Amino acid sequence: MSLTLAPSTTQPATPSATRARIAAMLALPLPELMFQAQSVHRQHFDPTEVQISTLLSIKTGGCPEDCGYCPQSAGFDAGVPASKLMELEPVLEAARRARDAGAQRFCMGAAWRSPKDHDLDRVAAMVAGVKALGMETCVTLGMLRPDQAERLKTAGLDYYNHNLDTSPEFYGRIITTRVYQDRLDTLAAVRDAGINVCCGGIIGMGEDLNDRAGLLAALADLDPYPESVPINALVAVKGTALGETAPIDPIEFVRTIAAARIAMPKSYVRLSAGREQLSDEAQALCFLAGANSIFYGDTLLTTSNPAVARDNALFAKLGMNRQA
């Protein structure tokens, strides 16, 4: 499989039909956008159910990439020391705790540009161990070769996360150590191996509405579009290139969730990084807009996440349930 979406530093003269459609969605009056998103959501999902995932950093910091938002980049002094890859048993113990707390999927992230083969063998053992606990498995390890994707599939991997981050046009302002096509090539290797794709992006990095439309169009135009779409709100970490960026307006974030739901009707749309800075009311609007998955647990890789007790209280207040 070959996925292509040519990177560019300028706005395309003729936006794709998908991009133009999504840009029009994002500009709708909010009541109309929410109505359309909720209507689409109800065609494919129970609007009262939320899928629960838990994320663990199995190798933190020291990454050679220069992603402007990431405190794990070795090029930033963001107070995140580099660590070695975790041993198997502590990973499995974390997975057991997540399962017992109600998570269906256990996601493992390593701060690599791409995994070395000897490290991949150790990650494959983690995947097999988590799978044996009865959980879905997901990893994010950077760029993959086709043979590495096949190795993970053999170990029992269900999902591979590799985000596009932003639009093709805005991408070069955030990352210079790899190009957009590198990300598409990894996604193609994952698809060819028969692994489900988890792919989304980050909102609030200084992009405009057209860039948000470009990100969602790039995701929706993948064939097939991702089964899981994490939408992150930038967490501005001091010491990173984007450390002084102002938080995104919550209503703009809700609009992005709604447009993602309409553009990718069968995907799980996940509230990911930045959820702690959203009020209960903003999260409720996100669920009404079609979000139906969250990361559960106090930490996401290196940034904080709402406490489990807060999430449980919110679900009870909204009359929502964790997906069985």
Side-chain angles (χ1 to χ4, degrees), residues 209-256:
L209 182 147
N210 193 58
D211 287 311
R212 292 174 198 158
L215 165 64
L216 295 180
L219 293 167
D221 281 340
L222 294 175
D223 187 16
Y225 56 73
E227 286 82 4
S228 181
V229 179
I231 303 295
N232 301 271
L234 175 69
V235 178
V237 178
K238 290 187 181 301
T240 65
L242 298 176
E244 301 301 321
T245 306
I248 187 172
D249 182 279
I251 297 299
E252 292 304 305
F253 188 74
V254 170
R255 286 181 176 277
T256 306

Side-chain angles (χ1 to χ4, degrees), residues 58-59 83-87 110 112 118-119 122-123 126:
I58 58 173
K59 192 279 174 191
S83 68
K84 294 182 179 180
L85 182 63
M86 290 178 65
E87 297 297 329
W112 290 319
H118 65 87
D119 288 325
R122 294 175 61 190
V123 174
M126 296 174 189

Side-chain angles (χ1 to χ4, degrees), residues 40-271:
V40 170
H41 188 54
R42 286 171 176 267
Q43 292 176 25
H44 302 283
F45 295 99
D46 181 338
T48 68
E49 286 192 348
V50 180
Q51 187 272 336
I52 303 296
S53 297
T54 293
L55 177 61
L56 175 69
S57 180
I58 58 173
K59 192 279 174 191
T60 305
C63 181
E65 303 278 23
D66 68 353
C67 307
Y69 52 81
C70 186
Q72 299 199 69
S73 170
F76 299 136
D77 184 11
V80 178
S83 68
K84 294 182 179 180
L85 182 63
M86 290 178 65
E87 297 297 329
L88 176 60
E89 188 48 44
V91 172
L92 296 184
E93 179 54 35
R96 292 185 193 98
R97 290 196 301 269
R99 180 196 61 188
D100 294 346
Q104 296 100 20
R105 186 179 306 165
F106 193 70
C107 307
M108 295 164 276
W112 290 319
R113 176 176 169 81
S114 57
K116 295 181 173 62
D117 288 336
H118 65 87
D119 288 325
L120 194 72
D121 290 340
R122 294 175 61 190
V123 174
M126 296 174 189
V127 169
V130 172
K131 189 80 169 176
L133 297 175
M135 303 184 76
E136 290 183 328
T137 55
C138 179
V139 297
T140 179
L141 312 172
M143 295 184 290
L144 288 183
R145 303 189 311 264
D147 62 294
Q148 292 178 319
E150 293 285 353
R151 176 75 184 88
L152 291 169
K153 174 64 175 179
T154 299
L157 186 66
D158 296 301
Y159 288 83
Y160 193 83
N161 168 256
H162 199 63
N163 291 335
L164 293 180
D165 284 349
T166 189
S167 70
E169 297 76 31
F170 196 70
Y171 185 85
R173 294 177 58 182
I174 304 300
I175 301 158
T176 67
T177 47
R178 70 172 88 169
V179 297
Y180 220 69
Q181 189 60 48
D182 291 330
R183 294 185 180 267
L184 294 170
D185 290 345
T186 288
L187 294 174
V190 168
R191 277 286 181 218
D192 285 346
I195 300 169
N196 293 314
V197 168
C198 175
C199 184
I202 305 171
I203 308 302
M205 297 190 291
E207 78 286 342
D208 61 18
L209 182 147
N210 193 58
D211 287 311
R212 292 174 198 158
L215 165 64
L216 295 180
L219 293 167
D221 281 340
L222 294 175
D223 187 16
Y225 56 73
E227 286 82 4
S228 181
V229 179
I231 303 295
N232 301 271
L234 175 69
V235 178
V237 178
K238 290 187 181 301
T240 65
L242 298 176
E244 301 301 321
T245 306
I248 187 172
D249 182 279
I251 297 299
E252 292 304 305
F253 188 74
V254 170
R255 286 181 176 277
T256 306
I257 294 292
R261 167 52 63 216
I262 297 168
M264 292 166 281
K266 296 182 181 179
S267 296
Y268 281 89
V269 177
R270 179 177 301 118
L271 302 182

